[in-house]
Amino acid sequence: MTVRPAPSAAAQESPLPAVRCPRPTAAAFFDLDNTLIRGASLFHVARGFAKARFVSTQDIARFACHQVVFRLRGERAGQVISTRERALALAAGHTVSEMHELCRHIYDDYLAEKIWPGTRALADLHSRRGEPVWLVTASPIELAEIIADRLGLAGALGTRVEEVDGKYTGRLVGEPLHGPAKGAAVRELAERMGYDLTVCHAYSDSANDLPMLTLVGHPHAVNPDHRLRERAESEGWPVTDYRTGTKLLRASLPPAAITGAATGALAAGVALAKRARAKP
């Protein structure tokens, strides 16, 4: 079943049936990038880092280019992991309190306006049904927890950076929460919280999250990449897509135009970093 509602109509056209009583063992797990928000959260983390002078002009330019590629081509497992590792390494030497304050500004300044209204409506519907809603993302846990708190979710799982004496070392604690690691984290959470995975829901845009999606009884594809769309349609999973404009862009742009768009984003990233550095 494929559902393509307007964002404002998402709650009315939801694939979720009504329930009469709370179901605290039926949790819902939401991916972040391109599922709950438009695009890649790490681009906006880089913007925040640039504003706080945590990163160089070259760093913000790379993240700007990655954002365009992500929006046009979708998620690529190796690229995502290497990008997140580089991003989290930038935290080295900074304090935990600095990072929490920075992540609050990143959400308020950039991410709040990037949330897909339709996905937010689905998360709210699960909450109204008495089902705990968790954000599960490879982005930094500090940012994930702030987003979860702002949206009134039960909690968040995210990638962690080692901290010693209140400062980050730049080394990861375990693996980035992506692919199989994301599935393992959801399973561990379910065991700890007493969730029944056969009645849980999971939402993602990427085939890289199949380890999480196939873990639950009710997987959902949101703004899916090509591989996930094929899998969802073959399995009969609900598919919701809010990206009409993006899909038209991908269909109409020749390769040269895509290259031009990436170059434009690169220049925009450099300009953004220069403006940030110019501020007193």
Short mmCIF file of all heavy atoms in Angstrom, two decimals, residues 16-28 125-133 194-196 198-201 218:
data_model
loop_
_atom_site.label_atom_id
_atom_site.label_comp_id
_atom_site.label_asym_id
_atom_site.label_seq_id
_atom_site.Cartn_x
_atom_site.Cartn_y
_atom_site.Cartn_z
N LEU A 16 -2.35 3.82 10.66
CA LEU A 16 -2.48 3.26 11.99
C LEU A 16 -3.95 3.12 12.37
O LEU A 16 -4.71 4.09 12.32
CB LEU A 16 -1.79 4.16 13.02
CG LEU A 16 -0.30 4.39 12.83
CD1 LEU A 16 0.20 5.36 13.89
CD2 LEU A 16 0.45 3.08 12.90
N PRO A 17 -4.39 1.94 12.78
CA PRO A 17 -5.76 1.76 13.25
C PRO A 17 -5.94 2.35 14.63
O PRO A 17 -4.98 2.52 15.39
CB PRO A 17 -5.92 0.24 13.28
CG PRO A 17 -4.54 -0.27 13.54
CD PRO A 17 -3.62 0.68 12.80
N ALA A 18 -7.16 2.68 14.98
CA ALA A 18 -7.44 3.20 16.31
C ALA A 18 -7.38 2.07 17.33
O ALA A 18 -7.64 0.91 17.02
CB ALA A 18 -8.82 3.85 16.34
N VAL A 19 -7.01 2.40 18.56
CA VAL A 19 -7.01 1.43 19.65
C VAL A 19 -7.79 2.01 20.81
O VAL A 19 -7.88 3.22 20.97
CB VAL A 19 -5.58 1.06 20.10
CG1 VAL A 19 -4.83 0.34 19.01
CG2 VAL A 19 -4.81 2.29 20.54
N ARG A 20 -8.37 1.15 21.63
CA ARG A 20 -9.24 1.60 22.70
C ARG A 20 -8.52 1.81 24.03
O ARG A 20 -9.04 2.46 24.92
CB ARG A 20 -10.38 0.59 22.90
CG ARG A 20 -11.31 0.51 21.69
CD ARG A 20 -12.46 -0.43 21.97
NE ARG A 20 -13.40 -0.47 20.86
CZ ARG A 20 -14.51 -1.22 20.86
NH1 ARG A 20 -14.80 -1.99 21.91
NH2 ARG A 20 -15.31 -1.21 19.82
N CYS A 21 -7.37 1.20 24.21
CA CYS A 21 -6.68 1.33 25.48
C CYS A 21 -5.19 1.49 25.25
O CYS A 21 -4.67 1.10 24.20
CB CYS A 21 -6.95 0.11 26.36
SG CYS A 21 -6.46 -1.45 25.61
N PRO A 22 -4.47 2.08 26.21
CA PRO A 22 -3.03 2.28 26.05
C PRO A 22 -2.30 0.96 25.84
O PRO A 22 -2.69 -0.08 26.39
CB PRO A 22 -2.63 2.93 27.37
CG PRO A 22 -3.87 3.54 27.91
CD PRO A 22 -4.99 2.63 27.46
N ARG A 23 -1.22 1.01 25.04
CA ARG A 23 -0.43 -0.19 24.78
C ARG A 23 1.04 0.13 25.05
O ARG A 23 1.82 0.35 24.12
CB ARG A 23 -0.63 -0.66 23.33
CG ARG A 23 -2.08 -0.98 23.00
CD ARG A 23 -2.16 -1.80 21.73
NE ARG A 23 -1.52 -1.13 20.61
CZ ARG A 23 -1.30 -1.72 19.42
NH1 ARG A 23 -1.63 -2.98 19.25
NH2 ARG A 23 -0.74 -1.04 18.44
N PRO A 24 1.42 0.17 26.32
CA PRO A 24 2.80 0.57 26.66
C PRO A 24 3.86 -0.39 26.17
O PRO A 24 5.05 -0.05 26.18
CB PRO A 24 2.77 0.64 28.19
CG PRO A 24 1.65 -0.26 28.59
CD PRO A 24 0.62 -0.12 27.51
N THR A 25 3.48 -1.61 25.76
CA THR A 25 4.50 -2.53 25.24
C THR A 25 4.62 -2.45 23.73
O THR A 25 5.44 -3.15 23.13
CB THR A 25 4.17 -3.99 25.64
OG1 THR A 25 2.91 -4.36 25.06
CG2 THR A 25 4.11 -4.14 27.15
N ALA A 26 3.81 -1.60 23.10
CA ALA A 26 3.85 -1.44 21.64
C ALA A 26 4.51 -0.12 21.30
O ALA A 26 3.84 0.87 21.01
CB ALA A 26 2.44 -1.51 21.05
N ALA A 27 5.83 -0.08 21.32
CA ALA A 27 6.56 1.17 21.07
C ALA A 27 6.67 1.46 19.58
O ALA A 27 6.41 0.60 18.73
CB ALA A 27 7.95 1.07 21.68
N ALA A 28 7.03 2.72 19.26
CA ALA A 28 7.28 3.14 17.88
C ALA A 28 8.68 3.74 17.81
O ALA A 28 9.06 4.56 18.66
CB ALA A 28 6.25 4.15 17.42
N LEU A 125 0.40 10.58 17.05
CA LEU A 125 -0.69 9.60 17.08
C LEU A 125 -0.30 8.39 17.92
O LEU A 125 -1.11 7.88 18.71
CB LEU A 125 -1.05 9.18 15.66
CG LEU A 125 -2.24 8.22 15.51
CD1 LEU A 125 -3.48 8.76 16.20
CD2 LEU A 125 -2.52 7.97 14.03
N HIS A 126 0.94 7.93 17.77
CA HIS A 126 1.40 6.83 18.62
C HIS A 126 1.34 7.23 20.09
O HIS A 126 0.92 6.43 20.95
CB HIS A 126 2.83 6.43 18.25
CG HIS A 126 2.92 5.54 17.06
ND1 HIS A 126 2.52 4.22 17.07
CD2 HIS A 126 3.38 5.78 15.80
CE1 HIS A 126 2.73 3.68 15.88
NE2 HIS A 126 3.25 4.60 15.09
N SER A 127 1.77 8.44 20.39
CA SER A 127 1.75 8.91 21.78
C SER A 127 0.32 8.94 22.31
O SER A 127 0.06 8.54 23.46
CB SER A 127 2.39 10.29 21.89
OG SER A 127 3.77 10.25 21.58
N ARG A 128 -0.63 9.42 21.49
CA ARG A 128 -2.02 9.46 21.93
C ARG A 128 -2.58 8.07 22.13
O ARG A 128 -3.51 7.87 22.93
CB ARG A 128 -2.87 10.23 20.91
CG ARG A 128 -2.56 11.72 20.85
CD ARG A 128 -3.70 12.49 20.19
NE ARG A 128 -3.97 12.04 18.85
CZ ARG A 128 -3.35 12.50 17.76
NH1 ARG A 128 -2.40 13.42 17.88
NH2 ARG A 128 -3.67 12.06 16.56
N ARG A 129 -2.05 7.09 21.42
CA ARG A 129 -2.47 5.70 21.60
C ARG A 129 -1.83 5.05 22.82
O ARG A 129 -2.07 3.87 23.10
CB ARG A 129 -2.08 4.89 20.34
CG ARG A 129 -2.97 5.14 19.15
CD ARG A 129 -2.27 4.82 17.83
NE ARG A 129 -1.61 3.53 17.79
CZ ARG A 129 -2.04 2.47 17.08
NH1 ARG A 129 -3.16 2.57 16.38
NH2 ARG A 129 -1.35 1.34 17.07
N GLY A 130 -1.02 5.81 23.55
CA GLY A 130 -0.37 5.28 24.74
C GLY A 130 0.86 4.46 24.44
O GLY A 130 1.30 3.66 25.29
N GLU A 131 1.45 4.64 23.26
CA GLU A 131 2.61 3.85 22.85
C GLU A 131 3.88 4.72 22.94
O GLU A 131 3.93 5.80 22.36
CB GLU A 131 2.42 3.35 21.42
CG GLU A 131 1.22 2.43 21.30
CD GLU A 131 0.80 2.17 19.86
OE1 GLU A 131 1.42 2.76 18.94
OE2 GLU A 131 -0.14 1.38 19.66
N PRO A 132 4.90 4.27 23.66
CA PRO A 132 6.14 5.05 23.77
C PRO A 132 6.77 5.26 22.39
O PRO A 132 6.82 4.34 21.57
CB PRO A 132 7.04 4.17 24.64
CG PRO A 132 6.11 3.23 25.35
CD PRO A 132 4.96 3.00 24.40
N VAL A 133 7.24 6.48 22.14
CA VAL A 133 7.86 6.82 20.86
C VAL A 133 9.33 7.15 21.10
O VAL A 133 9.65 8.00 21.94
CB VAL A 133 7.15 8.02 20.20
CG1 VAL A 133 7.84 8.39 18.88
CG2 VAL A 133 5.68 7.70 19.95
N GLY A 194 10.77 -3.95 28.17
CA GLY A 194 9.64 -4.87 28.13
C GLY A 194 8.71 -4.67 26.95
O GLY A 194 7.52 -5.00 27.02
N TYR A 195 9.23 -4.13 25.83
CA TYR A 195 8.41 -3.95 24.64
C TYR A 195 8.26 -5.28 23.89
O TYR A 195 9.20 -6.07 23.82
CB TYR A 195 9.03 -2.92 23.69
CG TYR A 195 9.20 -1.54 24.28
CD1 TYR A 195 10.28 -0.74 23.91
CD2 TYR A 195 8.29 -1.03 25.20
CE1 TYR A 195 10.44 0.54 24.44
CE2 TYR A 195 8.45 0.25 25.74
CZ TYR A 195 9.53 1.01 25.35
OH TYR A 195 9.69 2.27 25.89
N ASP A 196 7.09 -5.48 23.32
CA ASP A 196 6.83 -6.64 22.48
C ASP A 196 7.07 -6.23 21.03
O ASP A 196 6.25 -5.54 20.43
CB ASP A 196 5.38 -7.11 22.68
CG ASP A 196 5.02 -8.31 21.82
OD1 ASP A 196 5.87 -8.78 21.03
OD2 ASP A 196 3.86 -8.75 21.92
N THR A 198 6.81 -7.66 18.29
CA THR A 198 5.85 -8.11 17.28
C THR A 198 4.70 -7.13 17.10
O THR A 198 4.01 -7.16 16.08
CB THR A 198 5.28 -9.50 17.64
OG1 THR A 198 4.51 -9.41 18.85
CG2 THR A 198 6.39 -10.52 17.79
N VAL A 199 4.48 -6.25 18.08
CA VAL A 199 3.41 -5.26 17.96
C VAL A 199 3.97 -3.84 17.86
O VAL A 199 3.21 -2.87 17.88
CB VAL A 199 2.40 -5.36 19.13
CG1 VAL A 199 1.69 -6.69 19.10
CG2 VAL A 199 3.09 -5.14 20.48
N CYS A 200 5.30 -3.71 17.77
CA CYS A 200 5.93 -2.39 17.65
C CYS A 200 5.94 -1.92 16.19
O CYS A 200 5.81 -2.71 15.26
CB CYS A 200 7.36 -2.44 18.17
SG CYS A 200 7.50 -2.59 19.97
N HIS A 201 6.13 -0.61 16.02
CA HIS A 201 6.22 0.03 14.71
C HIS A 201 7.61 0.65 14.55
O HIS A 201 8.22 1.08 15.53
CB HIS A 201 5.17 1.13 14.55
CG HIS A 201 3.76 0.64 14.56
ND1 HIS A 201 2.97 0.63 13.43
CD2 HIS A 201 2.99 0.15 15.56
CE1 HIS A 201 1.78 0.15 13.73
NE2 HIS A 201 1.76 -0.14 15.02
N HIS A 218 5.50 -4.12 12.60
CA HIS A 218 4.87 -3.14 11.72
C HIS A 218 5.91 -2.15 11.19
O HIS A 218 6.06 -1.04 11.72
CB HIS A 218 3.76 -2.40 12.47
CG HIS A 218 2.70 -3.28 13.03
ND1 HIS A 218 1.71 -3.85 12.25
CD2 HIS A 218 2.50 -3.72 14.30
CE1 HIS A 218 0.93 -4.59 13.01
NE2 HIS A 218 1.39 -4.54 14.25
#
